[in-house]
Amino acid sequence: MILILSPGTRTDSAEYRQLSNHLATLQGVQVRVHSEHGIEQTLTELYLIGNTKSLDPTDMQALPCVERVVRVSQEYRVLGRHKDDSRPAYFDYNGVRFGQDTLHVFAGLCAVDNAEHVEIMLRALRDNGQVCTRMGAYKPRTSPYAFQGHGKACLPYVFELAGKYGIKVIAMEITHESHLDEINAALHQTGHPTGVMLQIGTRNTQNFELLKIVGRQTEMPILLKRGFGITLDESLNAAEYLASEGNRNVVFGLRGMKTNMGDPHRNLVDFAHVPVVKRLTRMPVCVDPSHSVGSRAASPDGILDVMHVTAQGVLAGANMVLVDFHPAPTRALVDGPQALLLKELPHFLEDVQIAREAYLRRVALAKKYPE
Ligand code: PEP
Ligand code: MN
């Protein structure tokens, strides 16, 4: 059960003390406090865990400071959508809103190779009106002999260049808790010219200790990729690990499933699950067409498979597109064969726009013909 307190409730007030004294008398019920500090006010939610079946929502609603009561199912307590749950399905970060009704493209380098390529990429994004990108500094690789990413060495120039070109949010994978400190140090050193959305890759979806540590920091939002060989429920529970530790600014990323039934694509594209994740949870949903398809193959209609599946995801209501581009894919150190060319960026963005407009028209149509 969640008790949503009146906005601005102070935890040092007499009413709050009365409320917590009462909750302390409930047998077998533990209370977990979650506070969200906004610019104007603080929102506090109390999670009652344990023996809450016998609690009457009407009684709880009458307690001091309580504005609303939400009874949660066992699943995805923090991030899930529950009955009569009108908690928001969005968050703001560094001036950008991420929600179940917004859309942002994160085009960029799978792996940072040098400052020149980063700059060419970011300039192209700025010229095309983009404020988000992807930049890999820490790369999880199948072979220990493959390029592992430049790590912390590239962070200062990536952040400075992002600031120079007006990029507000960089999606960047981390594979170890020490990367958090390295990113924070580089942001601090460069004067916070941009923001970072921490990415947990598909190989780490169930790295629970990493999830707990990343979930404990609340400065940066998190993009959690679906695990490529586990169920959707298992991946959604992984997202819940982040939220249960305190960070609920989580975007859920679909990136295809590992099975040869998707051949000749690198992974079986799973973007039909966009509406499913939006129904089960309040997380914005990202699609990654590059790691799903894994090549620049095109169909006879002249459209690249990467663009086809992007459109499919956006048409299904995706809120974020993570996509590999590279100024010189043959020289890319990671995933060159699936990268789009910079000259394809305007085409890609226009194609996304067509799919987005079609999605919005479909939403309006569904409203015209309600169930
Ligand atoms: C990536 O986005 O660069 C990446 C490695 O993705 P995934 O974890 O989905 O394989
Ligand atoms: Mn990649």
Side-chain angles (χ1 to χ4, degrees):
M1 179 176 278
I2 308 172
L3 307 185
I4 300 170
L5 306 190
S6 312
T9 295
R10 294 176 57 110
T11 47
D12 56 3
S13 64
E15 290 84 4
Y16 184 83
R17 221 164 308 127
Q18 229 181 313
L19 171 66
S20 27
N21 287 345
H22 177 76
L23 297 178
T25 65
L26 302 175
Q27 293 289 317
V29 175
Q30 294 95 49
V31 182
R32 219 147 146 173
V33 185
H34 181 91
S35 291
E36 200 80 37
H37 302 284
I39 301 165
E40 281 164 14
Q41 58 191 14
T42 298
L43 293 175
T44 305
E45 293 175 1
L46 303 184
Y47 285 78
L48 308 190
I49 301 161
N51 188 20
T52 59
K53 273 212 179 64
S54 58
L55 301 179
D56 180 350
T58 323
D59 292 349
M60 303 307 283
Q61 176 99 44
L63 293 171
C65 310
V66 177
E67 187 178 76
R68 234 154 14 89
V69 175
V70 177
R71 226 194 225 298
V72 299
S73 49
Q74 286 305 304
E75 297 210 307
Y76 329 133
R77 288 181 191 202
V78 183
L79 293 171
R81 269 184 194 283
H82 307 290
K83 198 168 166 292
D84 302 324
D85 185 357
S86 56
R87 292 175 298 159
Y90 65 83
F91 61 86
D92 295 307
Y93 175 63
N94 209 23
V96 184
R97 174 155 294 193
F98 295 93
Q100 286 196 333
D101 57 3
T102 61
L103 175 63
H104 299 288
V105 173
F106 280 62
L109 306 182
C110 176
V112 170
D113 42 14
N114 59 54
E116 188 197 344
H117 287 157
V118 172
E119 180 149 22
I120 295 171
M121 183 73 232
L122 298 180
R123 190 186 300 123
L125 290 171
R126 193 264 324 261
D127 292 348
N128 283 277
Q130 301 302 300
V131 294
C132 300
T133 190
R134 59 157 295 148
M135 287 285 155
Y138 308 97
K139 299 305 302 176
R141 303 305 304 280
T142 304
S143 162
Y145 308 112
F147 173 62
Q148 306 283 311
H150 287 309
K152 70 175 178 187
C154 69
L155 299 180
Y157 69 75
V158 169
F159 295 161
E160 270 162 7
L161 288 168
K164 177 172 171 189
Y165 292 101
I167 299 294
K168 302 258 174 236
V169 188
I170 304 176
M172 180 174 280
E173 178 164 358
I174 62 166
T175 56
H176 188 267
E177 62 196 76
S178 59
H179 302 157
L180 262 181
D181 298 334
E182 293 175 5
I183 288 173
N184 271 321
L187 280 173
H188 184 71
Q189 181 202 325
T190 53
H192 290 270
T194 188
V196 173
M197 179 182 282
L198 299 168
Q199 186 176 321
I200 304 285
T202 196
R203 292 159 188 81
N204 276 313
T205 307
Q206 286 189 311
N207 184 341
F208 299 119
E209 298 311 314
L210 180 64
L211 296 177
K212 286 186 208 167
I213 290 166
V214 175
R216 261 172 230 150
Q217 66 76 42
T218 51
E219 295 84 46
M220 293 177 271
I222 304 158
L223 167 63
L224 177 83
K225 296 271 199 103
R226 175 188 196 159
F228 55 22
I230 57 176
T231 64
L232 182 63
D233 175 61
E234 287 164 333
S235 291
L236 294 177
N237 270 300
E240 190 67 16
Y241 261 91
L242 299 165
S244 72
E245 291 294 333
N247 194 329
R248 54 178 64 188
N249 295 347
V250 184
V251 177
F252 190 80
L254 299 173
R255 47 83 68 218
M257 302 301 291
K258 206 178 176 81
T259 158
N260 59 10
M261 293 205 274
D263 289 352
H265 289 163
R266 184 172 170 185
N267 289 283
L268 181 64
V269 182
D270 55 351
F271 299 171
H273 283 174
V274 169
V276 178
V277 177
K278 288 169 82 172
R279 176 168 73 237
L280 294 175
T281 77
R282 294 173 296 110
M283 287 186 277
V285 182
C286 172
V287 292
D288 177 342
S290 303
H291 291 84
S292 300
V293 168
S295 78
R296 291 183 44 83
S299 59
D301 55 21
I303 301 174
L304 295 173
D305 287 13
V306 170
M307 294 208 199
H308 267 304
V309 303
T310 300
Q312 288 159 15
V314 173
L315 199 56
N319 307 111
M320 177 169 158
V321 178
L322 191 73
V323 56
D324 289 1
F325 271 77
H326 198 282
T330 52
R331 284 191 280 137
L333 298 175
V334 184
D335 284 350
Q338 70 194 24
L340 298 180
L341 312 173
L342 288 198
K343 65 172 194 235
E344 289 166 331
L345 183 60
H347 175 183
F348 183 82
L349 293 172
E350 259 183 71
D351 203 35
V352 166
Q353 203 45 41
I354 291 173
R356 178 67 178 171
E357 280 160 19
Y359 167 70
L360 294 173
R361 284 178 59 196
R362 293 178 61 228
V363 171
L365 187 66
K367 289 212 171 86
K368 191 171 136 196
Y369 295 102
E371 266 184 64

